[in-house]
Amino acid sequence: MILNIVEFMKMVGVKPLPRVMLFIPGKNPKTKKESYEPFLVEEALEKVIDAYVDPSLKDLSFSSFYAEETAPGTVVEEARTLPFLAERRVVLVRNANVYMNMASDKRSPVQPLLQFLETPPETSLLVMVCPEVNRIKPLYKLSEKNGVVIECHQLGRAEYNDWIRDQAAKNGKTINSRAITLLVERVGTKMSDMNNALSLVCNFVQSGNTITEADVLAASADVAEATVWALTDAIAASDPAGALKELHELLAMNKSPDEILGILNWLLESTYRAHPDTSLRLDKEFLARKVAPLTRKFSPSRLAAAMAMCTKTHFALRTTGTDTKLLMELLIIKLAHSKR
């Protein structure tokens, strides 16, 4: 049986679950592109564990493994162990694509697991998470035949907007369409980032029930944000004096050198993703617009060199006695002077 993750989550706690569950990437029905959304997988795993594992018996009825650290036979032994004071033992295996990619001949270490999947016992739930999938492998085929394969593709725009509304509703709030559009522009489609952003906005909107565009802007505002974008523009304009001025503003706001280096790395990495000459993609429209001047200043190779400069500066901050402010000033000057 194959289900998409949205269908599967509606089943949990309502219908009995199959004894074997395999979480894999899936294809968006509209775009046909294969993707994997780890945040949805974690939500589903949490629902499964809440439904089948008594918190007071968790140490006795739940086990979690990483495939790269655990032999398949060990997982099978655990899954075949009768549960104590519980109906089923729940066994979770992360990165199970390690097992999936093993040879399946008779001497292969994955054989005990394949035999388990042929006839999974009623006393266990085996849950495997595969961020990568090979659908011709026996592990996949047996999971589909005797359990359920859950395809965990990234949500389409309409589904994503519905998910945002649902998350707001869980916090006792409604959110209007314009606020959703602004959130997606600023945060992007990575669900873990959006979840954090929504938590901030929902905590900010305490007096009212409806989240508006103004709430999104106010909740996500940072007194240093304008300075960060001014620093970005000064570097893009090859203006070292202006860039140094913004650096000193950030330092005056008690931003630590480590924090500023983190901001610079984030800006450069985002620029690399937004660059028209790379195959990567930056799904945050607001951020893509902000770093557009840097994409015109730097080539991809120069961006890589700039990120390496940040790393060297961070190392120097940690290992040398050089004045911290001087190291940061030298870095900013080099970035501003750097050519395409």
Side-chain angles (χ1 to χ4, degrees):
M1 176 168 57
I2 301 176
L3 294 174
N4 70 51
I5 187 127
V6 176
E7 294 171 333
F8 174 78
M9 283 201 278
K10 291 176 181 177
M11 283 179 53
V12 181
V14 177
K15 299 179 181 179
L17 295 181
R19 288 166 276 176
V20 173
M21 286 163 265
L22 179 68
F23 290 87
I24 66 166
K27 289 184 178 180
N28 186 299
K30 291 186 178 179
T31 64
K32 306 300 180 185
K33 290 183 178 179
E34 188 163 275
S35 59
Y36 180 74
E37 180 46 74
F39 187 87
L40 282 178
V41 173
E42 294 304 316
E43 277 197 329
L45 293 177
E46 188 175 332
K47 288 193 74 171
V48 170
I49 293 169
D50 286 347
Y52 284 89
V53 180
D54 185 330
S56 65
L57 301 173
K58 192 169 184 177
D59 290 342
L60 301 172
S61 59
F62 174 74
S63 303
S64 179
F65 301 100
Y66 284 88
E68 62 268 36
E69 300 172 356
T70 312
T74 302
V75 172
V76 170
E77 183 179 349
E78 186 71 16
R80 290 197 185 279
T81 302
L82 292 174
F84 183 70
L85 299 177
E87 182 181 350
R88 288 185 177 182
R89 177 177 295 278
V90 178
V91 178
L92 170 63
V93 183
R94 296 183 182 274
N95 301 332
N97 44 294
V98 172
Y99 297 159
M100 186 176 288
N101 292 330
M102 289 179 175
S104 54
D105 57 83
K106 290 184 179 180
R107 294 185 179 182
S108 172
V110 81
Q111 273 301 322
L113 179 57
L114 298 181
Q115 292 167 14
F116 177 92
L117 294 175
E118 289 279 8
T119 54
E122 294 184 2
T123 54
S124 69
L125 285 179
L126 176 61
V127 185
M128 296 179 288
V129 178
C130 287
E132 301 170 4
V133 65
N134 186 337
R135 289 177 172 80
I136 68 171
K137 290 289 188 174
L139 190 148
Y140 172 87
K141 292 181 177 180
L142 287 169
S143 298
E144 181 186 352
K145 177 184 176 183
N146 297 320
V148 60
V149 171
I150 303 111
E151 295 186 333
C152 311
H153 64 79
Q154 293 174 341
L155 299 181
R157 188 60 179 265
E159 291 176 310
Y160 191 49
N161 289 355
D162 287 343
W163 177 81
I164 291 172
R165 290 188 184 93
D166 289 343
Q167 296 301 108
K170 288 177 183 177
N171 287 278
K173 305 288 189 294
T174 58
I175 180 168
N176 68 38
S177 297
R178 292 185 299 276
I180 290 175
T181 299
L182 181 59
L183 263 176
V184 174
E185 283 186 357
R186 292 178 71 88
V187 179
T189 56
K190 188 175 179 181
M191 295 182 78
S192 56
D193 290 346
M194 182 59 74
N195 186 61
N196 292 335
L198 275 168
S199 295
L200 288 173
V201 176
C202 288
N203 288 332
F204 176 81
V205 185
Q206 294 179 354
S207 58
N209 287 328
T210 300
I211 298 169
T212 65
E213 289 172 284
D215 296 323
V216 171
L217 289 171
S220 60
D222 185 326
V223 290
E225 184 176 339
T227 306
V228 168
W229 299 130
L231 174 61
T232 304
D233 291 341
I235 291 173
S238 298
D239 176 11
L244 284 173
K245 175 180 175 293
E246 304 307 333
L247 169 66
H248 295 152
E249 287 281 346
L250 288 172
L251 291 170
M253 293 175 191
N254 292 321
K255 296 290 183 182
S256 70
D258 280 347
E259 190 174 358
I260 295 171
L261 278 170
I263 290 169
L264 289 170
N265 266 312
W266 168 69
L267 286 170
L268 293 168
E269 182 182 344
S270 299
T271 304
Y272 192 88
R273 289 183 171 278
H275 204 289
D277 295 335
T278 65
S279 59
L280 299 175
R281 178 173 170 265
L282 183 65
D283 63 5
K284 301 177 183 179
E285 297 171 25
F286 172 81
L287 182 54
R289 289 198 300 272
K290 287 293 189 180
V291 300
L294 290 176
T295 66
R296 294 188 286 272
K297 175 184 174 68
F298 292 111
S299 66
S301 61
R302 286 289 187 180
L303 283 169
M307 286 186 273
M309 272 198 287
C310 289
T311 301
K312 288 179 181 177
T313 301
H314 187 257
F315 183 76
L317 286 171
R318 299 280 182 177
T319 59
T320 71
T322 307
D323 181 78
T324 297
K325 184 179 176 183
L326 177 61
L327 283 172
M328 294 302 298
E329 287 175 341
L330 286 172
L331 173 63
I332 292 299
I333 290 170
K334 287 177 181 177
L335 289 174
H337 273 300
S338 181
K339 301 294 184 182
R340 185 174 178 86

